[in-house]
Amino acid sequence: MDPLFFLLFAFIAVACGVNVVLQKHPISSALSLVAVMASLAVLYLLQGAEFIAMAQMIVYAGAIMVLFIFVIMLLNAGTEETKGRSWMALIFGVPAIIGLLGSLAYFMQTGMPKLGEVKFGDWKGGGAYEVGYALFTQYLLPFEVTSVLILIAIVGAIVLARKELD
Amino acid sequence: MFKLWLIPLLPFLGFLINGILGKKLPKLAINAVAVGSVLASFLWVALVVGPSSDWGAHKLQAHYFTWIASGNFHVGWDFAVDKLTIIMLMIVTGIGSLIHIYATGYMDHEGGYYRFFAYLNLFMFFMLNLVLAANYLILFVGWEGVGLCSYLLIGFYFNKKSATTAGNKAFIVNRIGDFGFALAMFIIVINFGTLDFTKVFAKAPGAPVETLTAIALLMLVGAAGKSAQIPLYVWLPDAMEGPTPVSALIHAATMVTAGVYMCTRSAVIFLHAPIAMETVAIIGLATAVFAATIGITQYDIKKVFAYSTVSQLGYMFLGVGVGAFSAGVWHLMTHAFFKALLFLGAGSVIHACHGEQDMRHMGGLKKYAPWTCIVLACASLAIAGFPGTSGFFSKDAILTAAYEHAPWMFWVGVVTAGMTAFYVWRAFWMTFWGEYRGHGKPHESPMVMLAPLMVLAVLSLGGGFLFNVPEILKDMFPLKEEIPEEHMLMAISVAAGLLGIGISWYMYVVNQELPGKIANAFGPLYRLINDKYRVDEAYDAAIVEPLIEGSTAILWKTVDAGVIDGTVNGVGSQAQGIGNVLKLIQSGNIRSYATWIVAGSVVIIILMGIAGGVR
Amino acid sequence: MDPAQVLETLKHGAVPTAWYLALSAVLFVIGVAGFILRRNIITVFMCIELMLNAVNLSFIAFAHEHKQVAGHLFTFFVMVVAAAEAAVGLAIILTVFRNRSTLNIDEIESLKN
């Protein structure tokens, strides 16, 4: 069933990704993005990344996107103004995007070495045990540093977002 | 065992304490630190290092750390002690201590009190480094360091324009000499591959004469700068702008003798370069005569003694040049005694006359400052070579050696000795005899200034008996055998000295119109000498002015304003032009920035793909 | 192609790793396009998240390819950084909105000259 699931969720991911860009209202974009992340979580699971799939659901689709929606609600952001001021981005941006896609496609087509295949359940290295073991042995220092990073982010967010007390 | 590092380090600590904390310390503490540190290193030298061993047979070497290591070339922070070093150490620390004590009284009312003593201690540190050095580079460190301190202390009254100018002059003239010394070191390194005294002197006798002559002559350039010999003597008279204790310590007793010490230290090189030796002797003799004639006509009491210093340094070089190294060092020592005393006495006189330095406004001070009068009389007797005084022995040793080398040098030296006696006693009579011609009421100096003077007076009178330097140094520099004419030569030089004293007494005490008449009779010559032979003006016209003109025309107007400024401004305006175009890109619009990033990524992906980096 | 064979492949076949990578590339380009073409600063920010997710997919695919857990850890750290970034970034957006009363990215262009 692997190809079936892959095609299904890849289609959902791409469709919702395009929707993120196309929707005029930020809240629609945000909900589409949640769908993208959920389908990506399924794709992670297909590759045996159980822990990351769960984290994707909880942290990304859960916490971070809730934060986004929170801010959208807080700012009462309406639909985007369409009157363009930056013709530069359009004139140069569209060719640049097409160039990016084209060059990636061309070189992936021609230069990609022979890679293996993914079958659900053929590798069990991505469970909570394996990830946790690596995280607390070999990658302990980066892990601890991230805690400092998050602390800094918390402080920074509070400093930035608080109202001036005067 | 002897902890040689302690000797320079003590004054350095004094410098650090006074230099950093001095502003907040009370005067008593500054005095204690400054005088105590120098006195402590004097006691260490006198009681521990000096007497404890026989230095003649072997040299005590101490290696502290390797400063430069490059291939086979090593320079360490090494100290070495032999008898010559001990003598120099005793002079530097001993006279240094006395002058520090004196300065606490002399500088009592001056601003920048702590700064003065910090500089003075720093000077002691560098001077002791110079003396203790076991290789040329460490000697050079001390050499440059004392030059720096000399500059700082000449310009001590930095709000006085003439003082800062004099400081600059001393520094710049010394640079010329240092350039020569540095070149000499380079030649030594190229030829001998080392700067260690022992190794260089072991290899020197085998080297070609031309090399040794080049080294010795370049060293002479360095020594002439530091020890104020022709043609680089011009800075020393101007250096009298500094406080009087500085003149006594740095510009009479210690630093200016560094050149003599260096030549003596390098005796092996000089002895194998006869042409250089001859040059040293002639330059020394010429300086001695030249400065003595100028000294006769000066009225500023410190200028008289300054030219006297130049002249006496010329004597020392004469001694070195004729091969009588130990006599040169002997004269270095006795000169340190009586010239320090002369300067400190002059300081006391200036103090007594409320800062007046012109001898025409002094006179009759023997009534008001009897102690100063007595000690200055001792110093003047010593410098005139009065029999039994310290100056008599050392001067006689040099003149005898000069006679053996070439009799004409002896006769020129004797004439100079006569002139020396004349102008020093002229200063003495003008200051202490007759009526007081100045303003205010002169007064005697405090005891703290007089006590060092008395110690120095004793040394000036008895220094010759107490320290027979040629005898002490006979292991390093063998004694010359006596020559039959010796007593006759002695009598001649003593007679010249006494004649000088007598003439000055007649001219400045008995018949006081005579000097004016003589000056009128030899009008142009007198004015020429009184203007110091217009050497400064000649240097200005020959070197300084063309240098300034050339710098203005070529370096400033053409190179700096034209080429350099043109280049810089051109680059600047070009950059501005490019920037004016490029700033269109910097729109502040995030989306266009993102577009550029994406475009850049595309280029990188394509390049990587072409280079095969994707695989 | 034989429909039965296609059905068989869909039922029992495996997915080539290259497909995952291609999906990752497509999602990334969608993110880039959104970043460049959209004007609402919040949407732009979401497009950044989309790009990060696309890269995460590549990491997971390579982790499976090389049978190493390191790729998972990279993804984990990217998530952490994304969380921190979201917190700070949204706070910045809040401040900008409070000061300028606009979310249009074109009007926030004081970083010039």
Side-chain angles (χ1 to χ4, degrees):
Chain A
M1 301 292 275
D2 276 62
L4 197 64
F5 278 116
F6 174 81
L7 289 175
L8 179 61
F9 286 102
F11 176 75
I12 295 175
V14 171
C16 291
V18 171
N19 205 31
V20 168
V21 177
L22 290 185
Q23 281 297 327
K24 291 286 173 230
H25 201 285
I27 202 90
S28 315
S29 298
L31 291 173
S32 303
L33 191 59
V34 173
V36 173
M37 286 166 176
S39 54
L40 281 180
V42 174
L43 293 177
Y44 293 169
L45 203 58
L46 278 179
Q47 297 177 87
E50 299 160 17
F51 178 79
I52 296 298
M54 285 307 118
Q56 171 88 0
M57 282 308 292
I58 295 166
V59 176
Y60 246 129
I64 295 180
M65 288 322 295
V66 165
L67 197 61
F68 268 91
I69 291 169
F70 219 74
V71 171
I72 293 167
M73 306 288 232
L74 188 67
L75 299 185
N76 197 16
T79 41
E80 188 175 290
E81 308 162 44
T82 43
K83 66 170 175 49
R85 279 181 59 188
S86 179
W87 49 269
M88 268 281 272
L90 213 63
I91 291 174
F92 293 105
V94 173
I97 294 160
I98 293 168
L100 186 65
L101 188 62
S103 59
L104 278 176
Y106 177 76
F107 288 115
M108 282 175 84
Q109 188 68 36
T110 58
M112 186 72 84
K114 187 88 187 95
L115 291 174
E117 294 181 324
V118 180
K119 187 121 176 65
F120 180 67
D122 63 348
W123 181 57
K124 292 195 185 311
Y129 173 80
E130 287 83 1
V131 174
Y133 186 81
L135 203 55
F136 287 103
T137 53
Q138 199 183 350
Y139 296 92
L140 184 61
L141 182 65
F143 180 65
E144 295 297 339
V145 172
T146 35
S147 65
V148 178
L149 177 75
I150 290 178
L151 179 67
I152 294 169
I154 292 169
V155 174
I158 291 170
V159 169
L160 280 169
R162 70 163 181 191
K163 286 215 162 63
E164 295 299 322
L165 303 168
D166 38 21
Chain B
M1 174 170 51
F2 293 112
K3 297 196 172 41
L4 293 178
W5 50 268
L6 210 57
I7 302 168
L9 202 69
L10 283 168
F12 190 67
L13 284 178
F15 158 69
L16 287 181
I17 295 172
N18 273 347
I20 295 168
L21 306 172
K23 213 166 189 171
K24 298 195 179 75
L25 289 177
K27 260 186 189 171
L28 204 64
I30 296 175
N31 290 345
V33 169
V35 177
S37 61
V38 179
L39 207 59
S41 68
F42 169 66
L43 291 176
W44 186 258
V45 172
L47 300 178
V48 179
V49 182
S52 68
S53 179
D54 175 22
W55 300 110
H58 65 286
K59 215 167 154 175
L60 179 76
Q61 285 257 18
H63 175 78
Y64 293 114
F65 60 89
T66 303
W67 183 19
I68 297 171
S70 164
N72 293 325
F73 178 65
H74 291 273
V75 178
W77 201 277
D78 299 349
F79 285 162
V81 174
D82 57 10
K83 281 190 169 171
L84 179 59
T85 314
I86 294 285
I87 290 173
M88 290 300 292
L89 284 177
M90 291 294 283
I91 296 170
V92 172
T93 55
I95 305 224
S97 308
L98 290 173
I99 292 174
H100 273 73
I101 295 169
Y102 174 91
T104 58
Y106 186 86
M107 299 298 288
D108 202 21
H109 309 298
E110 305 277 356
Y113 192 75
Y114 74 97
R115 191 161 58 89
F116 179 79
F117 280 104
Y119 290 164
L120 222 51
N121 275 1
L122 185 65
F123 168 78
M124 293 300 292
F125 164 70
F126 280 123
M127 189 70 204
L128 291 168
N129 232 337
L130 192 161
V131 172
L132 281 166
N135 59 49
Y136 278 109
L137 202 61
I138 303 299
L139 191 148
F140 193 65
V141 170
W143 186 271
E144 290 295 311
V146 292
L148 167 73
C149 296
S150 159
Y151 162 78
L152 291 172
L153 284 164
I154 293 170
F156 181 72
Y157 302 119
F158 54 78
N159 44 13
K160 215 165 100 190
K161 177 86 172 93
S162 58
T164 51
T165 314
N168 286 342
K169 188 174 178 182
F171 203 69
I172 292 165
V173 174
N174 266 303
R175 286 287 74 67
I176 301 170
D178 296 342
F179 181 62
F181 190 11
L183 286 181
M185 284 201 292
F186 296 155
I187 299 180
I188 291 174
V189 171
I190 290 170
N191 284 287
F192 304 127
T194 176
L195 286 171
D196 272 4
F197 288 145
T198 41
K199 288 179 197 155
V200 171
F201 300 151
K203 288 179 186 171
V209 178
E210 297 78 29
T211 313
L212 292 174
T213 308
I215 294 172
L217 285 176
L218 287 169
M219 278 183 180
L220 175 62
V221 174
K226 189 70 53 188
S227 294
Q229 296 299 293
I230 288 174
L232 300 179
Y233 72 94
V234 287
W235 64 271
L236 187 55
D238 287 18
M240 298 304 137
E241 290 287 347
T244 306
V246 173
S247 308
L249 177 62
I250 301 183
H251 305 121
T254 53
M255 185 191 84
V256 289
T257 60
V260 181
Y261 168 75
M262 197 255 284
C263 291
T264 313
R265 178 57 77 203
S266 316
V268 179
I269 294 174
F270 278 89
L271 282 172
H272 288 86
I275 299 171
M277 285 285 270
E278 197 68 26
T279 316
V280 173
I282 289 170
I283 282 187
L285 197 59
T287 311
V289 182
F290 189 76
T293 53
I294 300 175
I296 290 175
T297 60
Q298 296 301 307
Y299 285 108
D300 184 324
I301 187 165
K302 283 180 78 179
K303 282 275 163 71
V304 173
F305 293 150
Y307 281 105
S308 154
T309 305
V310 177
S311 172
Q312 297 300 310
L313 288 165
Y315 262 109
M316 295 174 213
F317 275 92
L318 174 64
V320 169
V322 299
F325 293 100
S326 52
V329 175
W330 202 5
H331 198 56
L332 189 162
M333 184 180 78
T334 58
H335 173 258
F337 295 153
F338 58 69
K339 187 50 64 65
L341 179 52
L342 279 176
F343 268 112
L344 296 184
S348 177
V349 167
I350 294 165
H351 197 75
C353 299
H354 313 287
E356 182 60 57
Q357 298 200 1
D358 194 326
M359 293 191 294
R360 283 169 293 197
H361 300 148
M362 294 175 182
L365 287 178
K366 70 169 189 279
K367 206 160 55 207
Y368 303 104
W371 282 108
T372 309
C373 175
I374 291 168
V375 294
L376 268 184
C378 297
S380 305
L381 279 177
I383 195 173
F386 193 81
T389 58
S390 60
F392 163 75
F393 291 103
S394 52
K395 195 178 278 190
D396 189 61
I398 288 174
L399 288 175
T400 310
Y403 183 82
E404 285 175 58
H405 185 76
W408 67 270
M409 286 185 176
F410 168 79
W411 290 109
V412 177
V414 164
V415 172
T416 311
M419 285 197 278
T420 307
F422 174 78
Y423 64 71
V424 171
W425 280 90
R426 164 180 173 268
F428 183 79
W429 302 127
M430 283 182 81
T431 313
F432 290 103
W433 252 249
E435 293 302 313
Y436 183 60
R437 299 179 290 271
H439 55 88
K441 188 173 158 52
H443 58 86
E444 180 63 293
S445 301
M447 202 55 209
V448 68
M449 287 165 70
L450 287 177
L453 294 183
M454 288 164 194
V455 177
L456 282 170
V458 171
L459 288 171
S460 299
L461 290 181
F465 291 114
L466 291 172
F467 313 106
N468 190 345
V469 173
E471 191 65 32
I472 298 170
L473 292 179
K474 68 169 182 255
D475 300 325
M476 295 172 70
F477 307 106
L479 288 173
K480 301 237 157 109
E481 68 273 23
E482 302 233 335
I483 54 167
E485 301 99 318
E486 182 147 350
H487 293 287
M488 200 254 292
L489 299 175
M490 208 182 282
I492 292 172
S493 66
V494 169
L498 291 177
L499 192 66
I501 299 175
I503 293 174
S504 67
W505 183 72
Y506 181 73
M507 280 173 67
Y508 290 92
V509 178
V510 179
N511 191 350
Q512 294 191 12
E513 276 91 61
L514 197 56
K517 282 182 194 157
I518 295 175
N520 283 335
F522 294 97
L525 184 65
Y526 175 78
R527 277 195 298 280
L528 180 67
I529 297 176
N530 193 26
D531 288 346
K532 304 145 196 167
Y533 295 102
R534 302 205 177 94
V535 170
D536 279 334
E537 287 78 0
Y539 280 0
D540 266 356
I543 299 169
V544 179
E545 287 297 326
L547 209 60
I548 292 174
E549 293 291 322
S551 304
T552 309
I554 298 169
L555 290 178
W556 174 26
K557 293 269 166 62
T558 313
V559 176
D560 190 52
V563 179
I564 296 174
D565 282 6
T567 313
V568 172
N569 291 342
V571 168
S573 62
Q574 282 302 311
Q576 205 173 15
I578 295 169
N580 272 333
V581 176
L582 284 181
K583 83 176 177 193
L584 296 177
I585 295 170
Q586 199 205 2
S587 58
N589 187 313
I590 298 165
R591 293 163 64 201
S592 72
Y593 291 169
T595 310
W596 290 112
I597 294 173
V598 173
S601 320
V602 173
V603 171
I604 289 173
I605 289 169
I606 291 172
L607 288 178
M608 278 171 70
I610 291 168
V614 173
R615 273 192 299 278
Chain C
M1 214 186 286
D2 184 15
Q5 203 183 339
V6 171
L7 201 66
E8 176 62 24
T9 314
L10 284 178
K11 263 185 173 170
H12 302 291
V15 183
T17 307
W19 288 17
Y20 283 101
L21 296 179
L23 175 63
S24 165
V26 168
L27 285 177
F28 188 85
V29 173
I30 291 171
V32 169
F35 191 100
I36 291 180
L37 298 176
R38 295 305 302 267
R39 291 189 188 80
N40 189 313
I41 194 165
I42 296 176
T43 316
V44 166
F45 207 53
M46 281 191 278
C47 290
I48 295 174
E49 299 295 329
L50 188 57
M51 285 188 264
L52 288 172
N53 268 291
V55 173
N56 280 354
L57 184 60
S58 283
F59 274 127
I60 299 290
F62 279 114
H64 184 274
E65 173 71 20
H66 296 289
K67 308 280 186 275
Q68 278 177 1
V69 80
H72 292 188
L73 292 167
F74 274 114
T75 309
F76 178 80
F77 287 125
V78 168
M79 281 182 191
V80 173
V81 172
E85 181 216 348
V88 176
L90 289 171
I92 290 173
I93 290 173
L94 266 178
T95 316
V96 167
F97 185 74
R98 200 185 291 147
N99 287 332
R100 297 176 173 252
S101 325
T102 180
L103 287 174
N104 190 338
I105 205 166
D106 284 353
E107 287 175 29
I108 305 161
E109 51 179 12
S110 51
L111 267 179
K112 69 175 174 187
N113 298 334

